[in-house]
Amino acid sequence: MEDNTIVEEFLNYLKFEKRFSEHTAKCYGADLSQFGVFLICSSEDRTADADMSSLAHQHGGTATAIAIETMPKVNHLLLSAEVSTIRAYLAFLNEKQYSKATIARKLATLRSFYKFLVKRNQLSSNPVTEVRTPKQDKKLPRFLEYEEIKKLLETPPMDNWLGARDRAILETLYSTGMRVSELVALNMDDIDFLGEVVHIRGKGKKERIAPISSSALQVIQHYMEFRNKRAQSNSNFDSKVLFVNKHGRRLSTRSVRRKMDKYLKMAGLDPAISPHTLRHSFATHMLNNGADLRSVQELLGHQSLSTTQVYTHLTTSKIKEVYEKSHPRENDTGGNNGDL
């Protein structure tokens, strides 16, 4: 092994071989850094609380762990972890009242990390294999009714270039169900106006082609006319990027969130709604209107059908509501009161 820690080798593997984004790799790094501190504190029989609090400001690598101990010791502790070590760590996280979802994510990080070490012949077995993932509380994704969506989409003004851009952003998110990270990555030539499709680069560098509505395309076209006029008089405009900020550079996901917050307030809608809610709304409305689950999976870019199945709980509730309002026997309170 070179001077890199095994964690750094793993993060490089994620970034350069698995093609994970920098942000995702940092999240894995932060989880492993926290685990490293736990191992060091446990080995010296001292509390991890103080060191864990310092990790709140760490976002990757094993910087905190290495600041406390040498690289060889960190590597040794990681390689020596057993099933009982992993379970003790989960108990610690549970004691500190981490949510089940967060604990499950941290466990998934460890599972991937030790799978990598086995694959590289640095370990003979994965200590996480025998540890069961905590059962998750079922949390249904929030979605908006169509009338609420319509109200939000019609809020940005169409008579200036920033308003036209923001309307195009909202229309694109709802029309395609794409993630905000996918939206800000769009380039001008990703929109096929003739074929009415959009080329999307998703998670893990996976690409897909998704249909886009003619109404969304009209709004995008309107925005592009404004955009191109401004680009002619501003040499800083990035010629390939679709959604740009006022300086002509690519928009960030945070900027999209700020714009949406603004229009939610203007439309009188719940400010807790996020851009991702448009993705949930897209999936729910598609299923409510007859789309099959497999098609919605493809449209959302989900790798597993089980990820998409969460939306069936929402549509089942809707179907039950329609049933209770529509079935004659459901509304019949008379009769024989159940006597046969």
Side-chain angles (χ1 to χ4, degrees), residues 116-284:
F116 164 80
L117 294 180
V118 170
K119 185 178 179 181
R120 295 297 171 95
N121 296 317
Q122 290 177 270
L123 281 179
S124 59
S125 63
N126 185 339
V128 189
T129 303
E130 296 179 36
V131 181
R132 188 175 298 177
T133 301
K135 191 173 182 180
Q136 299 296 295
D137 295 325
K138 285 189 177 178
K139 187 177 180 182
L140 298 182
R142 182 175 184 183
F143 71 98
L144 297 175
E145 298 292 346
Y146 178 66
E147 287 306 314
E148 293 177 302
I149 289 283
K150 190 176 178 185
K151 189 174 183 181
L152 177 62
L153 296 183
E154 293 175 353
T155 300
M158 293 285 280
D159 58 354
N160 63 77
W161 91 275
L162 290 177
R165 179 203 64 190
D166 296 343
R167 172 71 178 268
I169 285 172
L170 296 176
E171 289 273 7
T172 302
L173 287 172
Y174 178 63
S175 178
T176 64
M178 70 173 67
R179 303 173 180 91
V180 178
S181 59
E182 295 169 342
L183 175 115
V184 298
L186 290 175
N187 293 325
M188 298 281 276
D189 58 6
D190 288 327
I191 307 294
D192 182 349
F193 288 93
L194 188 60
E196 295 191 341
V197 294
V198 57
H199 178 234
I200 301 172
R201 286 170 291 280
K203 284 185 175 181
K205 307 297 182 184
K206 290 189 174 73
E207 300 183 4
R208 68 185 187 277
I209 302 294
I212 185 168
S213 68
S214 56
S215 60
L217 288 172
Q218 287 174 11
V219 175
I220 292 173
Q221 183 69 57
H222 180 68
Y223 154 66
M224 287 175 72
E225 290 171 5
F226 273 112
R227 181 202 179 287
N228 293 338
K229 285 180 183 176
R230 288 189 63 85
Q232 290 173 5
S233 58
N234 187 339
S235 59
N236 289 326
F237 261 64
D238 192 320
S239 60
K240 71 175 184 179
V241 176
L242 179 58
F243 294 116
V244 295
N245 59 26
K246 61 184 180 181
H247 304 295
R249 317 312 295 176
R250 192 182 296 276
L251 270 179
S252 66
T253 55
R254 186 174 296 178
S255 293
V256 174
R257 174 68 212 232
R258 283 200 301 265
K259 305 303 176 192
M260 187 157 173
D261 288 345
K262 168 186 171 182
Y263 295 115
L264 286 169
K265 186 175 181 180
M266 290 173 64
L269 296 171
D270 187 349
I273 294 167
S274 73
H276 211 68
T277 307
L278 294 181
R279 180 171 163 86
H280 296 323
S281 303
F282 163 83
T284 305

